[in-house]
Amino acid sequence: EVQLMESGGGLVQPGGSLRLSCAASGFTFISYGMSWVRQAPGKGLEWVSVISGSGGSTLYADSVKGRFTISRDKSKNTLYLQMNSLRAEDTAVYYCAKSTGTRRDDAFDIWGQGTMVTVSS
Amino acid sequence: DIQMTQSPSSLSASVGDRVTITCRASQGISNYLAWYQQKPGKVPKLLIYGASTLQSGVPSRFSGSGSGTDFTLTISNLQPEDVASYYCQKYNSAPLTFGGGTKVEIK
């Protein structure tokens, strides 16, 4: 069964850092682009970042550029999101999502269950 | 960057009704358009990709159409289990922007 499982969320103070992880199973991890998508409480979906299957190509939403870093470890079948200089407006459920095909930029056919990040003093 | 605008932001319809949600891109995106359904408290689910291709396992009452800048999601026979928020997303190239969402309720 194809599965994604996020971890690493929690409560962090403004200006702090957090690293999210997304463990993938049931598919050939290096063949697919992966993204992070977030959803603030009561709000819509916001795409955050994407990484190619090889890890050689990444892109970020303007709202997180320069503060967040996406990466992946093919030996561990795990996707990461390093979040620095966190702000209150980063408070959201963070989902990892798998690209449908082998293009980096693609629709998302599999989503994790999400992990909550709360930025507050 | 290309903006994605959905309308309406919410709607209320009766069981059995035909419901249409529209999504407009500020520039042409060919058919690189996906639709997702998110039920309350649940994870988003892919319904349609390539503007009109139904994802495996999705009921046939869901359909999508459009190309370029204007797209529609149609639910042909609204069911109680279709109560959800629906989002469009462009994926021709990053940023992979979502529309603002449409909340569908039963009248």
Side-chain angles (χ1 to χ4, degrees), chain B:
Chain B
D1 292 344
I2 297 173
Q3 305 304 313
M4 305 300 293
T5 304
Q6 271 183 249
S7 61
S9 57
S10 65
L11 65 90
S12 182
S14 300
V15 172
D17 280 357
R18 182 183 183 90
V19 167
T20 298
I21 298 168
T22 65
C23 179
R24 175 164 288 176
S26 60
Q27 298 175 40
I29 58 170
S30 184
N31 67 335
Y32 292 98
L33 192 282
W35 290 97
Y36 300 88
Q37 175 193 64
Q38 186 178 32
K39 295 184 178 181
K42 301 297 186 182
V43 174
K45 172 187 172 183
L46 178 64
L47 293 177
I48 287 169
Y49 61 95
S52 60
T53 302
L54 209 62
Q55 174 71 345
S56 175
V58 174
S60 58
R61 63 180 179 275
F62 291 92
S63 64
S65 65
S67 182
T69 60
D70 294 311
F71 303 87
T72 60
L73 171 69
T74 300
I75 309 172
S76 61
N77 174 20
L78 187 67
Q79 297 298 301
E81 59 266 33
D82 301 333
V83 168
S85 292
Y86 294 84
Y87 298 90
C88 63
Q89 181 205 23
K90 63 169 279 289
Y91 60 93
N92 59 317
S93 64
L96 310 180
T97 309
F98 289 91
T102 298
K103 188 173 184 179
V104 174
E105 298 175 328
I106 299 291
K107 199 179 290 184

Side-chain angles (χ1 to χ4, degrees), chain A residues 50-103:
Chain A
V50 65
I51 186 168
S52 62
S54 67
S57 176
T58 60
L59 205 70
Y60 301 89
D62 286 346
S63 58
V64 306
K65 200 173 296 181
R67 300 187 298 123
F68 290 11
T69 302
I70 191 171
S71 62
R72 61 195 300 163
D73 184 335
K74 63 181 181 182
S75 69
K76 296 181 178 179
N77 280 3
T78 301
L79 174 73
Y80 301 102
L81 185 68
Q82 178 66 44
M83 304 186 296
N84 298 331
S85 303
L86 282 161
R87 307 166 180 167
E89 53 264 36
D90 295 318
T91 295
V93 174
Y94 284 72
Y95 298 100
C96 61
K98 169 188 166 290
S99 291
T100 303
T102 55
R103 295 174 68 235

Side-chain angles (χ1 to χ4, degrees), chain A residues 15 19 28 30 47 62 93 100 105 108 120:
Chain A
R19 188 177 83 156
T28 305
I30 60 170
W47 172 79
D62 286 346
V93 174
T100 303
D105 303 342
F108 306 141
S120 175

